[in-house]
Amino acid sequence: MEVKVVRNLLEANERIAQENKEMFANEGIYVVNLMSAPGAGKTSLIEKTVEALKDRWQIGIIEGDIATAIDAERIMSHGIPVVQINTGSACHLDGNMIRDALGEIPLSSLDLLIVENVGNLVCPAEFNVGEDDKAMILSTPEGSDKPVKYPLMFQESSVLVINKIDLLPYIDCDINAMKNNAKKVNPKLEILEISCKTEEGLDKWFAWLNKKIEQKTAQKR
Ligand SMILES: Nc1nc2c(ncn2[C@@H]2O[C@H](COP(=O)(O)OP(=O)(O)O)[C@@H](O)[C@H]2O)c(=O)[nH]1
Ligand SMILES: [Mg+2]
Ligand SMILES: [Zn+2]
């Protein structure tokens, strides 16, 4: 019985996610769903991305948090449209929440929509929201074993961004083991090493994103 309830929930979400996806395709918007544990650097990476790409692309942000508008306020200072979703008790975003938030964003003018999911290494990976790609951020202090302990997140993602490489001299993180573990659960995973603090490696993330946006928006024009 319980298994069936869970399956119905996921199927209902999948339908709404598919509708969102069709809307994004019609508008030619590239959508990335950013996932990580709390504090890995999702908002920091969004802020760097907005500053680097906002002159080239029209960007919108959807922020997901259990409570507060702290992240949306951080983004708002960069002068681009942002919507905060407060999930209350829910530990992930789903297709319905994204659909509701879309009314608050000038959708037809956008090229890039970044969704910051709730900080959580488990269920965000189970709920599609209509995105083109899921991107995972893992920060060096979290430990090299996380990809094998939480494999679904890494399996569902197209790219893994390893953040906080500036901390490597001070912590016990075997970054090669981290990358090997990620490749073990998803051999196709692209891996980028960055620091939002020193900005090392960010150019590779921007290049990855630019290519994705170019491909998606080309279908519109
Ligand atoms: N040393 C260091 N700290 C970082 C880096 N990226 C983010 N932080 C810090 O980590 C904390 C959590 O970052 P935040 O972007 O809020 O993470 P989120 O919870 O995933 O959105 C903040 O205090 C950031 O300043 C980094 O590359 N290096
Ligand atoms: Mg955040
Ligand atoms: Zn959840």
Side-chain angles (χ1 to χ4, degrees):
M1 192 62 176
E2 200 179 327
V3 171
K4 191 161 174 236
V5 171
V6 171
R7 203 184 58 211
N8 288 345
L9 188 78
L10 287 172
E11 280 171 4
N13 182 66
E14 202 46 49
R15 260 199 316 279
I16 297 165
Q18 198 54 43
E19 287 167 15
N20 290 347
K21 203 178 172 92
E22 278 161 28
M23 198 189 317
F24 297 139
N26 289 337
E27 301 284 358
I29 306 170
Y30 174 73
V31 184
V32 62
N33 180 357
L34 213 50
M35 313 183 297
S36 82
K42 296 180 294 302
T43 311
S44 302
L45 185 60
I46 291 172
E47 291 189 275
K48 293 290 179 187
T49 303
V50 166
E51 279 311 308
L53 304 188
K54 73 177 179 186
D55 290 339
R56 179 165 182 206
W57 306 110
Q58 295 294 318
I59 307 174
I61 311 289
I62 295 178
E63 287 291 339
D65 276 296
I66 288 175
T68 80
I70 292 172
D71 282 359
E73 280 158 14
R74 280 170 68 183
I75 302 300
M76 222 179 289
S77 65
H78 298 270
I80 61 155
V82 55
V83 184
Q84 178 80 52
I85 298 173
N86 280 150
T87 59
S89 57
C91 41
H92 58 264
L93 293 177
D94 64 23
N96 220 1
M97 296 175 199
I98 297 301
R99 185 170 64 183
D100 287 348
L102 290 179
E104 315 278 325
I105 280 188
L107 208 57
S108 53
S109 67
L110 291 191
D111 304 305
L112 167 65
L113 177 65
I114 305 178
V115 176
E116 176 175 345
N117 218 308
V118 178
N120 175 349
L121 281 182
V122 188
C123 45
E126 290 176 38
F127 290 83
N128 293 328
V129 300
E131 68 279 76
D132 293 284
D133 288 290
K134 294 190 178 70
M136 169 85 206
I137 304 182
L138 180 62
S139 61
T140 53
E142 292 172 67
S144 58
D145 57 357
K146 293 305 165 293
V148 284
K149 280 187 162 175
Y150 302 92
L152 187 65
M153 296 282 283
F154 297 84
Q155 283 156 356
E156 290 290 315
S157 296
S158 309
V159 62
L160 168 63
V161 178
I162 299 180
N163 188 31
K164 308 196 188 181
I165 57 170
D166 59 289
L167 296 179
L168 283 171
Y170 316 106
I171 57 171
D172 293 330
C173 172
D174 183 342
I175 194 159
N176 286 324
M178 189 179 259
K179 290 194 281 186
N180 287 339
N181 282 334
K183 285 283 189 192
K184 207 182 287 176
V185 298
N186 182 356
K188 286 190 295 207
L189 192 62
E190 207 162 325
I191 302 177
L192 308 175
E193 296 170 41
I194 68 154
S195 165
C196 287
K197 190 182 168 92
T198 66
E199 305 194 339
E200 191 182 345
L202 282 180
D203 51 336
K204 299 210 177 62
W205 163 249
F206 301 148
W208 185 89
L209 212 47
N210 274 325
K211 198 169 146 208
K212 292 282 190 176
I213 305 164
E214 281 161 15
Q215 285 167 353
K216 190 75 186 273
T217 54
Q219 293 164 19
K220 170 164 61 175
R221 283 157 200 152

mmCIF file of all heavy atoms in Angstrom, residues 35 92 117 120-128 134 152-154 156:
data_model
loop_
_atom_site.group_PDB
_atom_site.id
_atom_site.type_symbol
_atom_site.label_atom_id
_atom_site.label_comp_id
_atom_site.label_asym_id
_atom_site.label_seq_id
_atom_site.Cartn_x
_atom_site.Cartn_y
_atom_site.Cartn_z
ATOM 1 N N MET A 35 21.783 21.193 -6.812
ATOM 2 C CA MET A 35 21.544 20.410 -5.589
ATOM 3 C C MET A 35 22.845 20.264 -4.799
ATOM 4 O O MET A 35 23.923 20.175 -5.369
ATOM 5 C CB MET A 35 21.069 18.997 -5.951
ATOM 6 C CG MET A 35 19.960 18.932 -6.989
ATOM 7 S SD MET A 35 19.395 17.232 -7.278
ATOM 8 C CE MET A 35 20.868 16.465 -7.933
ATOM 9 N N HIS A 92 12.603 19.121 -0.205
ATOM 10 C CA HIS A 92 13.024 19.188 -1.612
ATOM 11 C C HIS A 92 12.018 20.062 -2.361
ATOM 12 O O HIS A 92 10.926 20.323 -1.864
ATOM 13 C CB HIS A 92 13.038 17.784 -2.220
ATOM 14 C CG HIS A 92 11.698 17.119 -2.142
ATOM 15 N ND1 HIS A 92 11.364 16.259 -1.124
ATOM 16 C CD2 HIS A 92 10.593 17.242 -2.914
ATOM 17 C CE1 HIS A 92 10.104 15.865 -1.283
ATOM 18 N NE2 HIS A 92 9.609 16.448 -2.357
ATOM 19 N N ASN A 117 17.906 24.157 -5.176
ATOM 20 C CA ASN A 117 17.078 23.224 -4.426
ATOM 21 C C ASN A 117 17.340 23.348 -2.924
ATOM 22 O O ASN A 117 18.290 24.008 -2.490
ATOM 23 C CB ASN A 117 17.338 21.791 -4.910
ATOM 24 C CG ASN A 117 16.062 20.964 -4.943
ATOM 25 O OD1 ASN A 117 15.331 20.902 -3.959
ATOM 26 N ND2 ASN A 117 15.795 20.344 -6.084
ATOM 27 N N ASN A 120 20.131 19.264 0.793
ATOM 28 C CA ASN A 120 19.745 17.908 1.188
ATOM 29 C C ASN A 120 20.387 16.957 0.183
ATOM 30 O O ASN A 120 20.292 17.182 -1.021
ATOM 31 C CB ASN A 120 18.202 17.850 1.121
ATOM 32 C CG ASN A 120 17.616 16.479 1.385
ATOM 33 O OD1 ASN A 120 18.306 15.475 1.434
ATOM 34 N ND2 ASN A 120 16.307 16.448 1.545
ATOM 35 N N LEU A 121 21.010 15.913 0.666
ATOM 36 C CA LEU A 121 21.695 14.990 -0.253
ATOM 37 C C LEU A 121 20.827 13.798 -0.662
ATOM 38 O O LEU A 121 21.327 12.862 -1.276
ATOM 39 C CB LEU A 121 22.987 14.463 0.382
ATOM 40 C CG LEU A 121 24.203 15.389 0.364
ATOM 41 C CD1 LEU A 121 25.417 14.703 0.976
ATOM 42 C CD2 LEU A 121 24.540 15.840 -1.053
ATOM 43 N N VAL A 122 19.550 13.823 -0.310
ATOM 44 C CA VAL A 122 18.741 12.627 -0.563
ATOM 45 C C VAL A 122 17.647 12.866 -1.618
ATOM 46 O O VAL A 122 17.834 12.584 -2.800
ATOM 47 C CB VAL A 122 18.135 12.075 0.751
ATOM 48 C CG1 VAL A 122 17.460 10.738 0.502
ATOM 49 C CG2 VAL A 122 19.237 11.907 1.804
ATOM 50 N N CYS A 123 16.487 13.412 -1.193
ATOM 51 C CA CYS A 123 15.329 13.386 -2.090
ATOM 52 C C CYS A 123 15.281 14.422 -3.208
ATOM 53 O O CYS A 123 14.525 14.210 -4.154
ATOM 54 C CB CYS A 123 14.040 13.393 -1.295
ATOM 55 S SG CYS A 123 14.065 14.587 0.021
ATOM 56 N N PRO A 124 16.033 15.537 -3.181
ATOM 57 C CA PRO A 124 15.965 16.413 -4.352
ATOM 58 C C PRO A 124 16.220 15.658 -5.661
ATOM 59 O O PRO A 124 15.642 15.994 -6.697
ATOM 60 C CB PRO A 124 17.061 17.458 -4.081
ATOM 61 C CG PRO A 124 17.077 17.566 -2.600
ATOM 62 C CD PRO A 124 16.871 16.144 -2.122
ATOM 63 N N ALA A 125 17.019 14.624 -5.601
ATOM 64 C CA ALA A 125 17.337 13.859 -6.814
ATOM 65 C C ALA A 125 16.160 13.044 -7.320
ATOM 66 O O ALA A 125 16.141 12.604 -8.469
ATOM 67 C CB ALA A 125 18.527 12.940 -6.539
ATOM 68 N N GLU A 126 15.158 12.812 -6.469
ATOM 69 C CA GLU A 126 14.018 11.974 -6.867
ATOM 70 C C GLU A 126 12.919 12.758 -7.555
ATOM 71 O O GLU A 126 12.035 12.177 -8.171
ATOM 72 C CB GLU A 126 13.421 11.288 -5.632
ATOM 73 C CG GLU A 126 14.316 10.227 -5.042
ATOM 74 C CD GLU A 126 13.708 9.649 -3.770
ATOM 75 O OE1 GLU A 126 12.472 9.483 -3.738
ATOM 76 O OE2 GLU A 126 14.463 9.400 -2.827
ATOM 77 N N PHE A 127 12.942 14.087 -7.429
ATOM 78 C CA PHE A 127 11.848 14.912 -7.952
ATOM 79 C C PHE A 127 12.341 15.809 -9.075
ATOM 80 O O PHE A 127 13.034 16.792 -8.830
ATOM 81 C CB PHE A 127 11.244 15.755 -6.818
ATOM 82 C CG PHE A 127 10.485 14.932 -5.814
ATOM 83 C CD1 PHE A 127 11.152 14.288 -4.783
ATOM 84 C CD2 PHE A 127 9.107 14.787 -5.925
ATOM 85 C CE1 PHE A 127 10.458 13.511 -3.860
ATOM 86 C CE2 PHE A 127 8.406 14.016 -5.008
ATOM 87 C CZ PHE A 127 9.078 13.367 -3.975
ATOM 88 N N ASN A 128 11.970 15.464 -10.304
ATOM 89 C CA ASN A 128 12.257 16.346 -11.425
ATOM 90 C C ASN A 128 11.381 17.577 -11.313
ATOM 91 O O ASN A 128 10.248 17.503 -10.826
ATOM 92 C CB ASN A 128 11.955 15.639 -12.748
ATOM 93 C CG ASN A 128 12.908 14.492 -12.998
ATOM 94 O OD1 ASN A 128 14.070 14.531 -12.600
ATOM 95 N ND2 ASN A 128 12.420 13.453 -13.652
ATOM 96 N N LYS A 134 20.467 18.417 -13.943
ATOM 97 C CA LYS A 134 20.724 18.584 -12.517
ATOM 98 C C LYS A 134 22.232 18.750 -12.366
ATOM 99 O O LYS A 134 23.009 18.063 -13.035
ATOM 100 C CB LYS A 134 20.266 17.361 -11.733
ATOM 101 C CG LYS A 134 18.759 17.151 -11.741
ATOM 102 C CD LYS A 134 18.368 16.063 -10.753
ATOM 103 C CE LYS A 134 16.859 15.872 -10.709
ATOM 104 N NZ LYS A 134 16.319 15.250 -11.950
ATOM 105 N N LEU A 152 22.371 8.352 -5.588
ATOM 106 C CA LEU A 152 21.355 8.823 -6.542
ATOM 107 C C LEU A 152 21.608 10.256 -7.006
ATOM 108 O O LEU A 152 21.464 10.583 -8.188
ATOM 109 C CB LEU A 152 19.949 8.709 -5.920
ATOM 110 C CG LEU A 152 18.807 9.016 -6.897
ATOM 111 C CD1 LEU A 152 18.746 7.983 -8.020
ATOM 112 C CD2 LEU A 152 17.467 9.095 -6.165
ATOM 113 N N MET A 153 21.999 11.122 -6.073
ATOM 114 C CA MET A 153 22.280 12.518 -6.423
ATOM 115 C C MET A 153 23.325 12.605 -7.536
ATOM 116 O O MET A 153 23.211 13.417 -8.446
ATOM 117 C CB MET A 153 22.857 13.259 -5.208
ATOM 118 C CG MET A 153 21.927 13.379 -4.034
ATOM 119 S SD MET A 153 20.706 14.666 -4.249
ATOM 120 C CE MET A 153 21.662 16.127 -3.916
ATOM 121 N N PHE A 154 24.334 11.752 -7.422
ATOM 122 C CA PHE A 154 25.446 11.799 -8.381
ATOM 123 C C PHE A 154 25.063 11.115 -9.688
ATOM 124 O O PHE A 154 25.535 11.497 -10.754
ATOM 125 C CB PHE A 154 26.692 11.175 -7.747
ATOM 126 C CG PHE A 154 27.157 11.940 -6.533
ATOM 127 C CD1 PHE A 154 26.596 11.724 -5.283
ATOM 128 C CD2 PHE A 154 28.120 12.928 -6.661
ATOM 129 C CE1 PHE A 154 26.988 12.457 -4.171
ATOM 130 C CE2 PHE A 154 28.529 13.675 -5.560
ATOM 131 C CZ PHE A 154 27.957 13.437 -4.306
ATOM 132 N N GLU A 156 22.004 11.127 -10.957
ATOM 133 C CA GLU A 156 21.030 11.973 -11.662
ATOM 134 C C GLU A 156 21.659 13.241 -12.236
ATOM 135 O O GLU A 156 21.055 13.908 -13.055
ATOM 136 C CB GLU A 156 19.895 12.362 -10.708
ATOM 137 C CG GLU A 156 18.978 11.215 -10.320
ATOM 138 C CD GLU A 156 18.112 10.763 -11.490
ATOM 139 O OE1 GLU A 156 17.557 11.633 -12.184
ATOM 140 O OE2 GLU A 156 18.010 9.544 -11.736
#
